[in-house]
Amino acid sequence: MTRTHVAQPTRAGSVLALLAAVGVVAAATDFGSVAGLTDGAESLGLALGVELVGVALLVAAAAVRRRGYRVVAGLLLVAGVAGVVGGVVAVAAGAGTLPARVVVATSVAGVGVLGAGVAPLRSNRARGLVTAGAAVLTVAVVLGGVLTDAGAFSLLVAMVAAVVAWDAGERAVSLGEQVGVRARTWPVEVTRTAATALFGALVVGATFAVREMNVTNVPLVGLLLLLCGVVTVLVALSNY
Amino acid sequence: MTTVRRTRRWRGVVAVALFACAIGLLVQDATVLLLGAVGAGYAAYPWLSSPPSVELAVERSVEPTDPAAGDEVSVTVRVRNVGSETLSDVRLVDGVPPMLTVCSGTPRHAAVLRPGGTTEFTYAVRAEHGRHQFDPTTVLARDVTGATEVETTVHAETAVACAASVPEVPLRRQTRHGTGTVPTDEGGSGTEFHQTREYRTGDPLSRIDWKRRAKTGELTTVEFREERLASVVLCLDARAPAYRAAGDEEPNAVACGREGLSQLLTALADTRNPVGLAAVGRESCWLPPGSGDDHLARARRRVGSHPAFSTLPPSPETDWETDGQLRQLRRRLSPGTQVVLFSPLADEAMTAFALELEGAGTAVTVVVPDVTTTATRGGQLAAIERTERIRRLRSAGVRVVDWSPSDPLGPELLRAQEGLA
């Protein structure tokens, strides 16, 4: 008997999450043109390619293991992990200044971890890996702001992409648990991921509008009070 | 039953905001500080939507309508949003009858539903003997941000009826007044020969044994077995120990018992015998014996939707306090009513209950679905216990039907009546 309910992350959501994660890498490095990355887009594309091939191998390993070929699955798993690690190492050891390489390597590692989450290897780890991957992507974006001269707009877009990647990945996992991969789920995933991305665009727009107001001469005490207010609001918001 | 819960999935995004702000302040970089705004924006995101109000209508069609056992039956479920809100994330799990297996497609579906919009999905089940009622469809609806989840069920009465249901229910000889079909040990008018006795004045002329009168000159009267109505209560054991199954993919004993019970209900409805329903478990369910189409429809509805007949196993730590329910049931059974009990005999309480009823003069038939397995040590032990309990019941005069759920129930019942099982 074929099992009708296969609890794995759904395909559409996984693809959306990976696309958003790749978007993070692209945006955080100003689409490969950030200073310090000598051969720019090409090496970045290569590293991402190796990373995605690694993730694809992990997916293949899971599919082969379900059919019962444990040895082949093990080999594919090793190859997949090698691909995921290899992509990160390729960037880290590549040409360019150290800060640029750190940022790119971290973001590529985020793609790899998120990819391992949506590859249906261990269903109980999927949600944790997706969150970890998104966290690594977030750290990469913040590092991009600290270490490189990437533009504010690209970084904000990268941040939104990281949240969208997590949102799509988490939904792929939850839909996979409740509905399974055999059902048609893509309309739900596309609609809701689009809603999240649209809201992100609004946030970026609002942030830019505030930035354009160019408020500069705030006294230090006022700034501190503002920060305290921000933290209070955030804690209140998190209480949903 | 509708539950609304928060998924709390956006909680972590505040950490992104605080992290970016903290690093931004630390390295005194305005751009990094600005990144915190994205986290803060998404922290507000779940507050923008409210829990969806779910109003759905489910329609189920089954093709073919009269399958043979083993046939593929395709089930098409059509779900319509009858509310006024767009539901951006509706997840549906159809209530496949617990005894049937899905052989192609999946009974689960996800869809975006505008007001008045419809979605449709199809899957196939393999038909088994008997009448299989669908459980309610479970609906999980999330709002657009996914922050709240509404869980509810939608009911649509559908059944897969497969031929070879129970043709005739062999009832025990405990009857009430009123002419029916159950032969008794009392002499009178009927079809089956009972005895001859001395003529008493007033006996009808047609029942005098004229041949003997001609041969010997004695006046004797022939008596037939009086055929009466029997009042039957079908009782399902749905207490926590009864939710045993032979494996994860196998139906549990409550599902099997409910299936057998609804077969007997259908078969008994064709006779004039009053039928009642009882269940012990999550709640107690009681429908006093009655007859007629309305009564049957009510009984069917009870079996389909009353929580006591739910086939979902309880969580491990539940304690339902069923001793009181059994006592109450014993009080409700009027004299002259017989009981057909569906129980896997997984513990001592049900065996004791059957013995007690039989001892008090209520005729009991126990249908024992076999959900034991010989694959594990524990399973073997359970099988031995079950055999032992069946033996004890039989030696006390209780009729026991040892039923393996993959076989049709009708022949097993007849075999038990003939004392072969």
Side-chain angles (χ1 to χ4, degrees), chain B residues 117-363:
Chain B
T118 336
T119 183
E120 193 179 280
F121 60 103
T122 305
Y123 60 94
V125 293
R126 198 167 297 291
E128 301 270 352
H129 292 294
R131 185 178 185 282
H132 305 272
Q133 208 161 343
F134 280 81
D135 286 335
T137 308
T138 305
V139 180
L140 287 161
R142 290 189 173 196
D143 66 291
V144 72
T145 65
T148 47
E149 184 176 76
V150 176
E151 179 174 356
T152 183
T153 53
V154 187
H155 195 66
E157 194 108 342
T158 325
V160 174
C162 176
S165 58
V166 177
E168 178 195 356
V169 184
L171 293 168
R172 293 189 58 185
R173 289 186 176 163
Q174 185 172 46
T175 54
R176 306 206 313 191
H177 295 293
T179 308
T181 53
V182 182
T184 61
D185 282 335
E186 278 164 56
S189 55
T191 51
E192 187 185 339
F193 176 77
H194 182 51
Q195 61 175 6
T196 56
R197 62 164 169 79
E198 226 171 79
Y199 174 77
R200 277 183 234 135
T201 38
D203 281 348
L205 282 178
S206 64
R207 296 241 303 272
I208 291 172
D209 191 351
W210 291 110
K211 281 183 186 158
R212 180 183 276 210
R213 167 78 178 155
K215 228 186 256 173
T216 64
E218 275 176 76
L219 252 181
T220 49
T221 304
V222 179
E223 284 201 325
F224 298 93
R225 285 188 191 279
E226 189 90 57
E227 288 172 353
R228 297 262 179 82
L229 282 179
S231 161
V232 188
V233 169
L234 303 173
C235 174
L236 181 70
D237 172 15
R239 295 164 315 123
Y243 286 91
R244 299 277 165 83
D248 288 342
E249 303 273 307
E250 303 291 321
N252 59 41
V254 174
C256 302
R258 192 181 83 168
E259 172 46 36
L261 186 144
S262 54
Q263 287 184 32
L264 253 62
L265 189 66
T266 310
L268 283 170
D270 294 340
T271 67
R272 284 176 49 235
N273 297 311
V275 191
L277 271 187
V280 283
R282 272 188 182 82
E283 294 170 26
S284 87
C285 168
W286 171 252
L287 185 69
S291 48
D293 288 346
D294 285 354
H295 181 78
L296 176 75
R298 200 173 316 132
R300 280 248 170 79
R301 262 200 308 281
R302 284 280 176 94
V303 175
S305 57
H306 194 280
F309 287 95
S310 166
T311 56
L312 289 178
S315 54
E317 69 275 5
T318 43
D319 184 21
W320 289 333
E321 196 41 60
T322 47
D323 292 348
Q325 292 182 20
L326 288 176
R327 265 199 304 280
Q328 195 182 23
L329 177 59
R330 202 173 323 138
R331 274 203 304 278
R332 277 168 167 166
L333 291 170
S334 56
T337 302
Q338 56 174 293
V339 175
V340 182
L341 186 65
F342 294 83
S343 169
L345 299 180
D347 67 344
E348 200 50 44
M350 224 49 189
T351 321
F353 179 67
L355 287 172
E356 204 175 318
L357 283 181
E358 184 77 28
T362 306

Side-chain angles (χ1 to χ4, degrees), chain A residues 1 4-5 145 155-156 159 166-167 170 174-175 178-179 183-184 188 191-192 196 199-200 211 227 237-238 240, chain B residues 8-10 14 16 25 29 34 38 41-42 47-48 89 91 102 105 108 110-111 140 144-146 149 249:
Chain A
M1 193 187 87
T4 54
H5 178 50
L155 287 175
L156 282 171
M159 201 59 151
W166 169 81
D167 178 62
E170 198 274 344
S174 109
L175 268 172
Q178 291 178 343
V179 182
R184 192 185 67 133
V188 170
T191 310
R192 284 192 43 201
T196 308
F199 182 77
R211 192 174 181 244
L227 273 171
L237 284 179
S238 77
Y240 192 88
Chain B
R8 301 195 174 272
R9 68 193 289 265
W10 287 102
V14 171
V16 173
L25 284 177
D29 188 323
L34 207 60
V38 175
Y42 276 109
W47 295 83
L48 298 179
D89 184 344
R91 302 161 187 200
V102 177
R108 295 165 185 249
L140 287 161
V144 72
T145 65
E149 184 176 76
E249 303 273 307

Side-chain angles (χ1 to χ4, degrees), chain B residues 389-406:
Chain B
R389 289 192 179 116
I390 290 176
R391 196 192 57 72
R392 265 173 45 217
L393 285 174
R394 281 194 178 137
S395 62
V398 176
R399 183 187 287 167
V400 181
V401 183
D402 188 351
W403 173 41
S404 151
S406 52

